Amino acid sequence: MAIYLDHAATTPLDRAVLAAMEPYLLEHFGNASSVHGRGRQARVAVEEARERVAAALGAEPSEVVFTSGGTESDNLALKGALRARAADGRTRLVTSAAEHEAVLQPAEQLAAEGYEATVLAPDAHGRITPDRLDEALDDRVALVSLMHANNEIGTLHDIAALADVCHAHGAWLHCDAVQTAGLMALNVKDLGADLLSLSAHKLYGPKGVGALYVRGGIDLPPLVAGGAQERNRRGGTENTPGVVGLAEALTRAVERAPERVARLESLQQRLVEGLTDALDHFRFNTPVHHGPVAPHIVNISFPPHAGQPIDGEMLLLNLDMHGVQASAGSACTSGALEPSHVLTALGLPRETAAAAVRFSLGKDTSPEDVDGAVDTLADTIDRMRR
Ligand code: PLP
């Protein structure tokens, strides 16, 4: 069996989550909007799922909107907030060049519609500091969108401090927490986020379902129109098995978060030490010695050595051939020849940004998996350099 170190891209469905979903895929198949018994049964399941997701985040059930995943949650947050606040003269969006495309592309679309989108350059570790953010804000900012953990390099933002800066300027803060929801215990009130995105398939739940936390009092126009579902915030027949799966996966993950984080941190340290011992002429893109990072990601690059660049795509294919599954960054970027926009935003030269490997650990990763990946990477680099 190949060693799977791509949990930031997606995780396997937990069997217990599948078991919770199964009745709603089979016998309890009703439409949650139907008035008959089967419909009411589905409605109860959807609302219980909403309560469980809210409880896991420290939110109220009415503050949870179910979506088709992280991408839709991010789109709803950005487009919804900008459209909702335009009438008050707040027509500016502020974000960072190291955000996921699910934020950067809606930002571009909003700019094309006439809103002002400011994309800040992060520091060398991928962070926007509260001071940097403060300088960038004015009273026209509707929304600031900054992720909790960067999906490519794992850098953590101090969301609570950034939220304070936003609120001092009357701006809302959207936090893309797709990489950390369920991994670390998150409380929306402690974080101070006004909007927060999460996705089930990153936390051992099913693909194609997620949620957006929308702080009470915020009214977002729907992105997907066509029905009164989700209190008019997202049209379309409810994905009952999906939201039941999301709730089960998130609840299980949050219950186990402290123990999982401790385990991941020790594996991450083992990986960092193993790479440091086994390799030379490489750099950590994950700021392992510069402030907090998520416990599941280690991203490294190989700058050209003796004038020879490493072909990043070939490196990943070679690793795969030798039984190690990893990515170059976000799954959407890998496969394309373009170097990662995140690594470029850190200031890395093109050839170094294009020669990157992201290992991302999961709940079933073992110390032997970590050691195996280090050995395979060292052998592969050795062969490629020769
Ligand atoms: N945001 C971040 C930080 C992610 O890592 C991802 C997934 O790659 C997404 C958003 C998109 O989530 P989904 O795959 O559920 O659409």
Side-chain angles (χ1 to χ4, degrees), residues 8-9 68-72 74 100 102 147 149 151 176 178-179 199 201-202:
S68 67
T71 302
E72 186 188 324
D74 287 350
H100 194 274
M147 69 213 311
N151 55 299
D176 176 336
V178 166
Q179 286 297 331
S199 176
H201 76 98
K202 307 284 186 181

Side-chain angles (χ1 to χ4, degrees), residues 65-353:
V65 180
F66 289 126
T67 66
S68 67
T71 302
E72 186 188 324
S73 295
D74 287 350
N75 271 266
L76 175 57
L78 267 68
K79 294 174 183 174
L82 270 288
R83 290 170 188 161
R85 306 197 79 185
D88 299 333
R90 289 194 177 261
T91 52
R92 239 186 112 202
L93 167 71
V94 175
T95 185
S96 151
E99 290 296 306
H100 194 274
E101 290 291 351
V103 164
L104 293 176
Q105 288 191 22
E108 273 174 33
Q109 288 181 326
L110 287 163
E113 285 176 26
Y115 294 96
E116 188 185 343
T118 304
V119 181
L120 302 174
D123 68 15
H125 310 304
R127 284 192 189 89
I128 302 294
T129 61
D131 286 347
R132 172 93 180 84
L133 183 64
D134 191 40
E135 285 163 21
L137 299 189
D138 59 28
D139 62 6
R140 288 178 301 117
V141 178
L143 186 75
V144 172
S145 182
L146 291 171
M147 69 213 311
H148 190 208
N150 185 282
N151 55 299
E152 293 197 26
I153 58 173
T155 303
L156 281 173
H157 268 139
D158 183 348
I159 293 298
L162 294 165
D164 285 345
V165 173
C166 291
H167 297 154
H169 292 274
W172 295 343
L173 177 71
H174 165 244
C175 176
D176 176 336
V178 166
Q179 286 297 331
T180 49
L183 181 70
M184 302 157 77
L186 298 187
N187 181 301
V188 287
K189 302 290 182 286
D190 294 346
L191 289 174
D194 301 283
L195 301 159
L196 181 135
S197 300
L198 59 94
S199 176
H201 76 98
K202 307 284 186 181
L203 47 105
Y204 307 93
K207 291 174 178 59
V209 59
L212 181 69
Y213 158 77
V214 181
R215 179 174 54 72
I218 292 183
D219 201 10
L220 298 185
L223 190 67
V224 181
Q229 291 91 350
E230 300 296 308
R231 300 174 174 226
N232 290 309
R233 293 174 297 188
R234 204 270 185 187
T237 299
E238 289 88 345
N239 176 0
T240 311
V243 303
V244 167
L246 167 62
E248 181 69 22
L250 185 63
T251 307
R252 298 177 72 82
V254 166
E255 280 166 6
R256 293 161 179 75
E259 142 213 343
R260 276 192 189 162
V261 168
R263 213 177 147 268
L264 287 172
E265 279 173 350
S266 113
L267 288 173
Q268 185 184 44
Q269 198 182 342
R270 187 181 184 103
L271 180 53
V272 167
E273 286 169 4
L275 293 169
T276 307
D277 289 346
L279 298 171
D280 44 26
H281 308 295
F282 78 104
R283 58 161 274 142
F284 282 107
N285 296 324
T286 300
V288 286
H289 305 300
H290 302 276
V293 294
H296 65 309
I297 293 176
V298 177
N299 186 319
I300 62 173
S301 270
F302 297 92
H305 177 54
Q308 271 187 309
I310 292 277
D311 178 332
E313 211 173 332
M314 198 54 78
L315 172 57
L316 293 180
L317 290 172
N318 275 319
L319 286 176
D320 184 32
M321 232 159 42
H322 292 91
V324 176
Q325 296 174 335
S327 277
S330 68
C332 337
T333 347
S334 52
L337 289 169
E338 281 303 297
S340 136
H341 72 275
V342 174
L343 299 182
T344 311
L346 301 186
L348 262 62
R350 220 182 140 79
E351 283 179 332
T352 306

